[in-house]
Amino acid sequence: MSGITTYGERRLVLISGRAHPELAERVAEELGVDLVPTTAYDFASGEIYVRFQESVRGADAFVLQSMTAPINQWVMEQLLMVDALKRASVKTITAVMPFFPYARQDKKHRGREPISARLMADLYKTAGADRLMSVDLHAAQAQGFFDGPVDHLFAMPTLVDYVRTRVDTANVTVVSPDAGRIRVAEQWAAKLGGNPLAFVHKTRDITRPNSAVANRVVGEVAGRDCVLVDDLIDTGGTIAEAVRVLRENDARSVMIVATHGVLSDPAARRLAECGASEVVITDTLPIPRDKRFPSLTVLSIAPLLARAIREVFDEGSVTSLFDGNA
């Protein structure tokens, strides 16, 4: 049997979808468990079939899926796994999605639009998930979309520890790519020792997805080592424009740091050519070989996910993982 047994009564089982099996294997290794053997395949029509090859009755189940492209397929696969677990009489179900699907569609910009992130939360609840676990939500208030516990994990400690080894913290300016993420930049500055802040003023046309124009920098960046922080990088246009503006304002160097590497084309090319000294992301999403480039660093999020899963299973404190910042 897979899983951790506590006092001969409770059992933790970890299940993986097909989107990012390498991450699931690393999480399983950190937990000291085996992944539940699972059959999953697509019918000729595109329908998905899943079945677990051993009993999960009475277990605390954690089903992990990374929402990479094609995102709709992997959302559906995880929903089917949650439904299968519910019908297999598990005790609890936690849907672990390091990158929350449709997270950027968390409000209506114009009339007659959906609030897609809310719909995702409703789908998981209807399928049978008791709780959700995700890393660095695009907007923290999205936790309120799910009628149940949501474990909102933060990659910042992992990223900050790495950045400290790569920059002179006495000469760092933390830069937000837009005014909306100043709060996150403030947290970064505090973690790095109270560094100054700057942000890139940009304009965005809400009728054109993945399109923004960086106009100017607000804050002192000349001669400084800039750490440009964001939650995700999709096509890379916004972040590459921000690097350009920082360079034009005489920044000594620019390091890009983000949690989620969506890296839709042509992100890899843009990032490789934008002039950043290094691009640091985590492996919440798979980064295929053709999207890697020399200045890219990918840090593992598996230890954080494993510790959070263990705290939930042990009925401990997930907040304690972040020194009270969760």
Side-chain angles (χ1 to χ4, degrees), residues 215-274:
N215 296 316
R216 64 183 184 275
V217 177
V218 178
E220 183 57 50
V221 299
R224 308 283 295 180
D225 296 310
C226 294
V227 178
L228 183 59
V229 297
D230 208 349
D231 62 323
L232 65 92
I233 303 173
D234 192 350
T235 61
T238 298
I239 211 82
E241 277 285 294
V243 174
R244 176 187 61 79
V245 172
L246 291 170
R247 285 295 197 178
E248 289 176 353
N249 283 267
D250 300 319
R252 188 170 80 170
S253 68
V254 182
M255 172 186 283
I256 298 170
V257 184
T259 301
H260 309 294
V262 180
L263 303 188
S264 305
D265 288 334
R269 176 182 57 79
R270 284 173 169 168
L271 293 172
E273 298 173 355
C274 71

Side-chain angles (χ1 to χ4, degrees), residues 136-137 140 152-157 160 164 174-176 181-197 227 229 322 324-326:
D136 284 348
L137 291 169
H152 185 198
L153 311 183
F154 299 93
M156 188 181 295
V160 167
R164 281 200 192 103
V174 179
V175 183
S176 170
R181 300 200 66 78
I182 282 289
R183 177 58 184 150
V184 174
E186 288 176 342
Q187 294 170 348
W188 264 87
K191 292 285 187 181
L192 289 173
N195 302 87
L197 294 171
V227 178
V229 297
F322 310 103
N325 291 329

Side-chain angles (χ1 to χ4, degrees), residues 49-308:
Y49 173 86
V50 298
R51 181 180 182 272
F52 310 118
Q53 297 175 20
E54 65 179 38
S55 175
V56 292
R57 182 180 297 272
D60 293 294
F62 296 80
V63 55
L64 192 157
Q65 184 79 296
S66 291
M67 301 305 175
T68 188
I71 189 169
N72 296 330
Q73 177 176 7
W74 304 133
V75 167
M76 193 65 199
E77 182 176 271
Q78 191 178 31
L79 288 170
L80 291 171
M81 288 181 164
V82 169
D83 183 76
L85 288 167
K86 176 180 66 177
R87 298 176 191 281
S89 301
V90 297
K91 182 181 177 184
T92 64
I93 303 170
T94 300
V96 183
M97 49 194 80
F99 177 62
F100 192 88
Y102 288 81
R104 285 171 283 180
Q105 298 185 52
D106 60 350
K107 57 184 175 292
K108 292 176 66 173
H109 293 282
R110 298 183 296 166
R112 301 182 298 282
E113 290 182 341
I115 302 180
S116 306
R118 170 59 194 264
L119 175 60
M120 290 295 107
D122 289 344
L123 288 171
Y124 280 94
K125 188 66 177 180
T126 300
D130 298 293
R131 69 190 301 138
L132 305 182
M133 182 180 292
S134 193
V135 182
D136 284 348
L137 291 169
H138 187 64
Q141 60 265 32
Q143 297 170 81
F145 291 164
F146 184 73
D147 187 15
V150 177
D151 297 304
H152 185 198
L153 311 183
F154 299 93
M156 188 181 295
T158 301
L159 294 167
V160 167
D161 286 347
Y162 177 81
V163 169
R164 281 200 192 103
T165 69
R166 304 293 290 172
V167 298
D168 175 8
T169 55
N171 191 53
V172 163
T173 293
V174 179
V175 183
S176 170
D178 56 55
R181 300 200 66 78
I182 282 289
R183 177 58 184 150
V184 174
E186 288 176 342
Q187 294 170 348
W188 264 87
K191 292 285 187 181
L192 289 173
N195 302 87
L197 294 171
F199 73 90
V200 178
H201 179 269
K202 69 180 182 182
T203 56
R204 183 184 296 276
D205 183 350
I206 62 173
T207 67
R208 298 177 61 199
N210 301 116
S211 178
V213 178
N215 296 316
R216 64 183 184 275
V217 177
V218 178
E220 183 57 50
V221 299
R224 308 283 295 180
D225 296 310
C226 294
V227 178
L228 183 59
V229 297
D230 208 349
D231 62 323
L232 65 92
I233 303 173
D234 192 350
T235 61
T238 298
I239 211 82
E241 277 285 294
V243 174
R244 176 187 61 79
V245 172
L246 291 170
R247 285 295 197 178
E248 289 176 353
N249 283 267
D250 300 319
R252 188 170 80 170
S253 68
V254 182
M255 172 186 283
I256 298 170
V257 184
T259 301
H260 309 294
V262 180
L263 303 188
S264 305
D265 288 334
R269 176 182 57 79
R270 284 173 169 168
L271 293 172
E273 298 173 355
C274 71
S277 60
E278 188 172 4
V279 180
V280 184
I281 58 176
T282 75
D283 62 350
T284 55
L285 296 167
I287 311 297
R289 188 177 300 276
D290 64 349
K291 293 187 178 181
R292 294 181 181 249
F293 46 93
S295 59
L296 179 68
T297 298
V298 181
L299 305 179
S300 179
I301 205 71
L304 172 62
L305 291 174
R307 291 197 303 271

Side-chain angles (χ1 to χ4, degrees), residues 11-68:
R11 188 161 65 100
L12 180 157
V13 295
L14 181 64
I15 294 153
S16 173
R18 292 177 291 168
H20 194 358
E22 297 84 5
L23 176 59
E25 288 164 4
R26 286 192 285 268
V27 172
E29 184 178 355
E30 291 281 341
L31 284 168
V33 304
D34 297 322
L35 292 169
V36 172
T38 304
T39 299
Y41 57 81
D42 300 330
F43 289 106
S45 64
E47 290 185 6
I48 299 168
Y49 173 86
V50 298
R51 181 180 182 272
F52 310 118
Q53 297 175 20
E54 65 179 38
S55 175
V56 292
R57 182 180 297 272
D60 293 294
F62 296 80
V63 55
L64 192 157
Q65 184 79 296
S66 291
M67 301 305 175
T68 188

